[in-house]
Amino acid sequence: MNWIEAIGYLGTALTISASAMSTMIPLRIISLCASCVVITYGLFIGSMPVVLTECIQIPFNAYRLWQMMRLVRDVEAAADGDLSLEWLRPFGSQRPFGIGEVVFRKGDLATEMYVVESGVFRIPEVGIEVRAGGIVGELGLLSPGNARTASLVCVEAGRALCVSYSEVKQLYYQNPEFGFYFLKLTSERLFQSAQSAQGAPAPATAGSEAL
């Protein structure tokens, strides 16, 4: 075996290693390394299809790596700072609500969280209004039985960003570091809600009572 073949085998080994990775950041890093090695091998053997294939894959892997690293950075900053969940916007879908429309009821199965973009929503059990920038429903992912603890009703027509728990779980499985900071973030928000309910002073947040 000559050194050119050794480069080819190295590329194969890295490609297989990337396929075996269970988390996203190591997978993308090893995939990028594998592409560089395979491109080198393709140039030495004069195989342009091999080179072209890897050149196409590199931008996709680089973008996904950047996207996941930015996500972890944003979640970490939120957990250590203002507790905002704005970083969830790319993973949600916008939904309009009309006056009087019930978003969910107390006791319903919680499957998603909401970021209010416009309009006014009300939690009738506690008399709290949620306006633009407010967030409800994120702690349902962690509550026993995933049951809603209160209702949410639209009192002024508007829109809310809906983020499913399945999307959050997928991000967690792809990157455990994301999961750590998400748990830290939701725990901090829970403590703030508890302090507010007891009448103790708590730092201001963009969110609201978690349901």
Side-chain angles (χ1 to χ4, degrees):
M1 181 178 67
N2 59 38
W3 62 275
I4 294 179
E5 288 180 330
I7 293 175
Y9 284 122
L10 175 60
T12 299
L14 288 172
T15 301
I16 294 173
S17 297
S19 300
M21 292 291 160
S22 59
T23 54
M24 193 59 61
I25 289 180
L27 185 153
R28 298 298 180 184
I29 291 174
I30 294 179
S31 293
L32 286 169
C33 292
S35 292
C36 292
V37 173
V38 173
I39 287 174
T40 302
Y41 175 71
L43 290 173
F44 277 122
I45 66 173
S47 177
M48 293 312 297
V50 170
V51 174
L52 180 61
T53 300
E54 297 302 322
C55 285
I56 292 173
Q57 290 190 47
I58 284 178
F60 288 105
N61 281 320
Y63 174 74
R64 293 301 184 188
L65 175 61
W66 171 81
Q67 187 180 48
M68 185 57 68
M69 293 181 71
R70 184 185 65 174
L71 174 63
V72 172
R73 180 200 65 200
D74 291 346
V75 177
E76 180 180 1
D80 293 333
D82 61 5
L83 308 185
S84 170
L85 294 180
E86 289 299 304
W87 47 268
L88 277 173
R89 285 190 179 278
F91 306 98
S93 58
Q94 200 177 71
R95 186 182 300 176
F97 292 95
I99 297 176
E101 185 174 350
V102 178
V103 182
F104 52 76
R105 291 182 172 85
K106 183 177 180 179
D108 285 352
L109 178 65
T111 59
E112 54 201 9
M113 64 183 71
Y114 298 87
V115 180
V116 177
E117 297 186 325
S118 64
V120 180
F121 296 77
R122 185 175 179 81
I123 305 171
E125 287 83 358
V126 292
I128 293 177
E129 289 188 346
V130 186
R131 299 176 179 271
I135 301 165
V136 291
E138 77 275 14
L139 290 180
L141 176 63
L142 307 175
S143 66
N146 296 119
R148 299 289 188 192
T149 60
S151 305
L152 185 67
V153 181
C154 179
V155 295
E156 182 180 305
R159 300 186 310 275
L161 187 75
C162 173
V163 183
S164 69
Y165 291 161
S166 60
E167 186 71 41
V168 176
K169 289 177 181 177
Q170 183 178 2
L171 292 172
Y172 170 79
Y173 291 135
Q174 289 179 351
N175 194 340
E177 188 177 0
F178 161 85
F180 169 78
Y181 286 113
F182 180 77
L183 289 174
K184 181 179 178 182
L185 173 60
T186 52
S187 297
E188 290 290 339
R189 288 172 59 82
L190 176 60
F191 292 145
Q192 286 198 359
S193 294
Q195 287 179 331
S196 298
Q198 294 171 1
T205 72
S208 63
E209 293 291 330
L211 306 173

